[in-house]
Amino acid sequence: MFNTLCYLLLLLLHFSLSQGLTFPQDIAALKAFKASIKPTSIPSWSCLASWDFAAADPCALPRRTHFTCGIICSIDSTRVTQITLDPAGYSGQLTPLLSQLTQLTILDLSDNSFFGSIPSSISSLRSLQTLILKSNSFSGSIPDSVTTLKSLESLDISHNSLSGPLPKTLNSLSGLRRLDLSYNQLTGFLPKLPYNLLELALKGNSLSGYISKSSFDGLTQLEVVELSENSFTGTLGAWFFLLPALQQADLANNSLTRVEISKPSGGNSDLVAIDLGFNHIEGNAPTDFANYPQLSSLTLRYNRLRGAIPLEYSKKKSLQRLFLDGNFLIGRPPSEFFGGNTWVSGSLGNNCLVGCPGSSQLCSPSQKPYEVCKQAYGRKPMA
């Protein structure tokens, strides 16, 4: 009797898994999602073309002819847990009914042509860990409700047309590890950032104001910062380079006017690459960059730096790329840059240097005309 019961249960389980028992609310959400996409943007070979609700249950196994890709279901075939669409050029707006997929952990609609606003009802996706909407045409502001997604670990809405400020409650995303909102039309200041971030990318927007220490308080795990192509101004404080896990920082193409830098505590730092090119930074080239033991790439090109190239740069064996071109640096460049065993690539060109060997690639392009340098210093530049 017991063996017969077990056999019947196994048969029932097999039948359930093969037939699928997708929750009605999940099916309704999937139907609404597909219905919101223009039929003419669904190629016959695409994932969405295989979503035939009349022919099969979305979670039914095996998926040989219908629902062949685009969704993943829970192990008991009852709930949709992932939507990952192919980049087929789908065009349409996100339906608010997506909020019914309450077990969804991944939503990836990248590299398509979705448009319109991101519905605020997305906050109902309490299990969501990964939200990738990059390379579409979403517009409007980032809904504040996104910041209530406590399980979210990765958020990428880069390469869209989002506008307005960053949500003030962005730091509420306590589980967020990766944030990429690059190449939108976002404005305003940097709010306080989520303290568990590993990677921050906000390049290619219109963000402005100072880069404040308060925005980065508690970010002890932050490794990568990409804030280039914005409108940040003022002084970048020494605290920034002392972020304990920082490895790469790109702040090029802003309007920074000054950089403060101090030696890393105990001589320890993971900083490998820094790009501060194309700003309005004045003063001397910061000598203390040479005290960062792993720094291999330093870019300060096209700023307003004056004075001599720090000799410490030429003695730093870890430094492999150095771009100081487009400033008003004077004097003779350190001879160590031009020895037979030189290890540095980059450029010292378009400055006011003397004795920069024309045969060296480092000295390309040529230096500024003498009259330009004389005018910049108000006198004859020091040799």
Side-chain angles (χ1 to χ4, degrees):
M1 178 68 179
F2 177 75
N3 290 337
T4 302
L5 182 60
C6 288
Y7 177 71
L8 289 173
L9 287 172
L10 286 172
L11 279 178
L12 181 61
L13 178 61
H14 174 74
F15 178 80
S16 298
L17 291 175
S18 61
Q19 295 300 310
L21 296 170
T22 309
F23 271 29
Q25 69 183 46
D26 285 22
I27 295 177
L30 292 176
K31 284 181 176 179
F33 175 68
K34 184 175 181 180
S36 68
I37 296 172
K38 297 177 181 179
T40 54
S41 71
I42 303 177
S44 59
W45 45 263
S46 66
C47 287
L48 274 183
S50 73
W51 289 19
D52 188 342
F53 298 93
D57 183 288
C59 291
L61 295 172
R63 297 187 189 128
R64 294 194 180 97
T65 56
H66 305 293
F67 297 95
T68 54
C69 57
I71 68 169
I72 293 177
C73 296
S74 57
I75 194 169
D76 62 358
S77 295
T78 62
R79 303 302 306 271
V80 176
T81 58
Q82 297 183 28
I83 295 180
T84 304
L85 290 189
D86 47 338
Y90 304 122
S91 177
Q93 299 191 55
L94 279 189
T95 172
L97 291 179
L98 268 180
S99 61
Q100 294 182 2
L101 298 173
T102 54
Q103 294 300 307
L104 202 65
T105 60
I106 296 176
L107 178 60
D108 184 350
L109 310 179
S110 56
D111 300 293
N112 280 290
S113 298
F114 289 96
F115 60 91
S117 60
I118 299 170
S120 59
S121 60
I122 204 168
S123 61
S124 297
L125 302 178
R126 298 295 184 185
S127 300
L128 201 62
Q129 298 173 11
T130 300
L131 177 58
I132 304 178
L133 304 176
K134 67 178 182 179
S135 300
N136 281 283
S137 298
F138 288 109
S139 58
S141 61
I142 301 170
D144 289 337
S145 58
V146 167
T147 65
T148 65
L149 296 172
K150 303 301 183 184
S151 297
L152 201 61
E153 297 176 3
S154 181
L155 175 60
D156 187 344
I157 322 180
S158 61
H159 296 272
N160 279 279
S161 299
L162 299 174
S163 58
L166 295 168
K168 292 180 180 179
T169 54
L170 195 61
N171 66 314
S172 298
L173 292 169
S174 55
L176 198 66
R177 308 293 274 168
R178 292 173 178 82
L179 174 63
D180 193 346
L181 301 174
S182 303
Y183 298 107
N184 281 284
Q185 299 161 21
L186 299 171
T187 56
F189 305 128
L190 274 182
K192 186 166 176 54
L193 297 165
Y195 64 86
N196 272 320
L197 274 183
L198 293 176
E199 299 176 11
L200 171 68
L202 298 172
K203 57 182 180 285
N205 283 287
S206 297
L207 299 170
S208 59
Y210 297 132
I211 297 175
S212 169
K213 184 179 180 181
S214 61
S215 298
F216 289 81
D217 271 351
L219 272 69
T220 59
Q221 303 173 71
L222 187 62
E223 297 176 354
V224 178
V225 176
E226 296 182 351
L227 299 177
S228 62
E229 300 174 63
N230 280 287
S231 300
F232 292 113
T233 56
T235 298
L236 183 62
W239 60 266
F240 180 82
F241 303 102
L242 299 177
L243 289 168
L246 189 63
Q247 297 178 17
Q248 301 175 45
D250 185 356
L251 295 98
N253 293 93
N254 279 285
S255 297
L256 299 172
T257 55
R258 189 179 172 208
V259 171
E260 295 175 348
I261 185 165
S262 57
K263 294 180 180 180
S265 178
N268 297 315
S269 171
D270 293 328
L271 189 62
V272 173
I274 179 76
D275 190 344
L276 290 164
F278 298 94
N279 277 278
H280 306 305
I281 299 170
E282 299 180 337
N284 295 327
T287 302
D288 276 329
F289 275 130
N291 291 309
Y292 286 73
Q294 299 187 52
L295 190 68
S296 65
S297 179
L298 175 61
T299 299
L300 294 165
R301 65 194 320 191
Y302 290 91
N303 279 286
R304 299 171 182 172
L305 297 176
R306 296 171 172 245
I309 297 173
L311 186 63
E312 289 83 351
Y313 289 2
S314 67
K315 298 182 180 301
K316 186 168 181 55
K317 298 301 182 184
S318 68
L319 195 61
Q320 298 176 10
R321 298 176 74 251
L322 177 63
F323 287 90
L324 298 176
D325 48 314
N327 284 286
F328 294 89
L329 299 172
I330 59 175
R332 293 182 179 274
S335 59
E336 288 85 350
F337 285 145
F338 311 109
N341 296 321
T342 183
W343 63 91
V344 178
S345 65
S347 177
L348 308 177
N350 198 13
N351 276 289
C352 299
L353 299 170
V354 295
C356 202
S359 58
S360 172
Q361 189 175 1
L362 275 176
C363 295
S364 178
S366 58
Q367 301 299 307
K368 286 182 170 68
Y370 174 80
E371 290 301 322
V372 172
C373 296
K374 183 179 179 181
Q375 183 177 10
Y377 280 87
R379 55 177 172 75
K380 179 180 178 181
M382 294 179 61

